[in-house]
Amino acid sequence: MNLRNWDPNPVISLLYQIKVMDEVVEDISHQYITMEGLMEKLPINKKKATLLKTWKRRYFKAKDGWLHYYESGNRDEASESIQLMGGEIHDIGNRVLGIDDGRGRYLMVRCPTEKEYGQWKLALESQTADNTKATYVKPVLKSSKNPDKSVVIVDLGSSAIRAGILGTQASLPDVFFPSILAVDRETGQVLAVGNDALKPDIRSKCKIIHPIRPSNKVDQVHNPGLKTN
């Protein structure tokens, strides 16, 4: 097969097609048992009390797959939180429960009474069920324009570029294409961008470059002396 004359755009068009996926996700949050009340705790990742790291009495709330606790009377803003969803609850004994969030954080809590111990254990275990997909934002294909803000959002990636206009709902991008350039071998002029850069007649006289390098920083753009009109 002569790849020089091959036009990959039919394949590229499928890869970069913008569409809403019809995925049915069951929301199991109704199975979560919400509970709040006083318990004692050790500092995060401490499994034994010491002279300096002792049990502290705090107010706790288990809700929506998270356990929040409050150090002051202000119960609107949590002092600390640990994710229950996707984690494990360990029965330590002596009214003590261990909470492993599965992400490297561990919290030991101690309940005031045996009755509350059983209630907290049941509530915390119910909220470890993974309901992650149901919490994802479900974008629409097209959103009406935001009446208060005129904003264009551009996501520059090393493999693709996405862009769209800020709307009233979360929506898919208006444009989505490969982040590649076709640069004339002789003049250094940029002749095409994205899908057009892969057309056989363009490739025959150009070199294909990736101007955006993979990086954690947005500002690293590869610019090998490009010339544009």
Side-chain angles (χ1 to χ4, degrees), residues 56-127:
K56 301 290 186 181
R57 196 166 184 245
R58 298 288 183 259
Y59 193 84
F60 286 83
K61 287 183 182 179
K63 185 178 180 181
D64 298 331
W66 287 83
L67 179 65
H68 311 284
Y69 64 84
Y70 307 80
E71 294 186 1
S72 65
N74 180 11
R75 292 173 186 171
D76 294 326
E77 185 174 349
S79 302
E80 186 69 77
S81 301
I82 186 168
Q83 188 167 356
L84 299 171
M85 186 167 51
E88 293 181 351
I89 306 301
H90 299 154
D91 189 342
I92 308 299
N94 295 324
R95 306 193 314 277
V96 177
L97 295 169
I99 302 166
D100 184 351
D101 72 351
R103 298 164 181 80
R105 303 177 80 221
Y106 198 91
L107 178 65
M108 301 271 284
V109 295
R110 185 165 64 187
C111 306
T113 66
E114 287 292 341
K115 180 181 179 180
E116 289 172 287
Y117 171 74
Q119 292 172 334
W120 272 112
K121 184 173 184 291
L122 186 64
L124 296 177
E125 286 179 340
S126 76
Q127 300 211 27

Side-chain angles (χ1 to χ4, degrees), residues 16-155:
Y16 288 85
Q17 187 177 14
I18 300 174
K19 61 181 180 179
V20 176
M21 301 298 292
D22 295 326
E23 183 180 7
V24 178
V25 178
E26 181 185 3
D27 186 353
I28 60 171
S29 60
H30 63 279
Q31 299 176 14
Y32 290 169
I33 299 173
T34 300
M35 185 171 176
E36 57 184 271
L38 291 167
M39 289 191 291
E40 293 176 305
K41 62 168 284 292
L42 288 178
I44 290 286
N45 292 334
K46 295 294 181 182
K47 297 186 179 181
K48 289 184 179 180
T50 64
L51 289 175
L52 298 177
K53 305 293 184 180
T54 59
W55 291 96
K56 301 290 186 181
R57 196 166 184 245
R58 298 288 183 259
Y59 193 84
F60 286 83
K61 287 183 182 179
K63 185 178 180 181
D64 298 331
W66 287 83
L67 179 65
H68 311 284
Y69 64 84
Y70 307 80
E71 294 186 1
S72 65
N74 180 11
R75 292 173 186 171
D76 294 326
E77 185 174 349
S79 302
E80 186 69 77
S81 301
I82 186 168
Q83 188 167 356
L84 299 171
M85 186 167 51
E88 293 181 351
I89 306 301
H90 299 154
D91 189 342
I92 308 299
N94 295 324
R95 306 193 314 277
V96 177
L97 295 169
I99 302 166
D100 184 351
D101 72 351
R103 298 164 181 80
R105 303 177 80 221
Y106 198 91
L107 178 65
M108 301 271 284
V109 295
R110 185 165 64 187
C111 306
T113 66
E114 287 292 341
K115 180 181 179 180
E116 289 172 287
Y117 171 74
Q119 292 172 334
W120 272 112
K121 184 173 184 291
L122 186 64
L124 296 177
E125 286 179 340
S126 76
Q127 300 211 27
T128 60
D130 193 350
N131 197 39
T132 307
K133 286 188 176 181
T135 65
Y136 292 163
V137 174
K138 296 178 176 61
V140 296
L141 186 60
K142 194 76 174 177
S143 171
S144 56
K145 186 178 179 296
N146 191 304
D148 302 319
K149 297 179 180 179
S150 298
V151 177
V152 175
I153 301 171
V154 181
D155 178 16

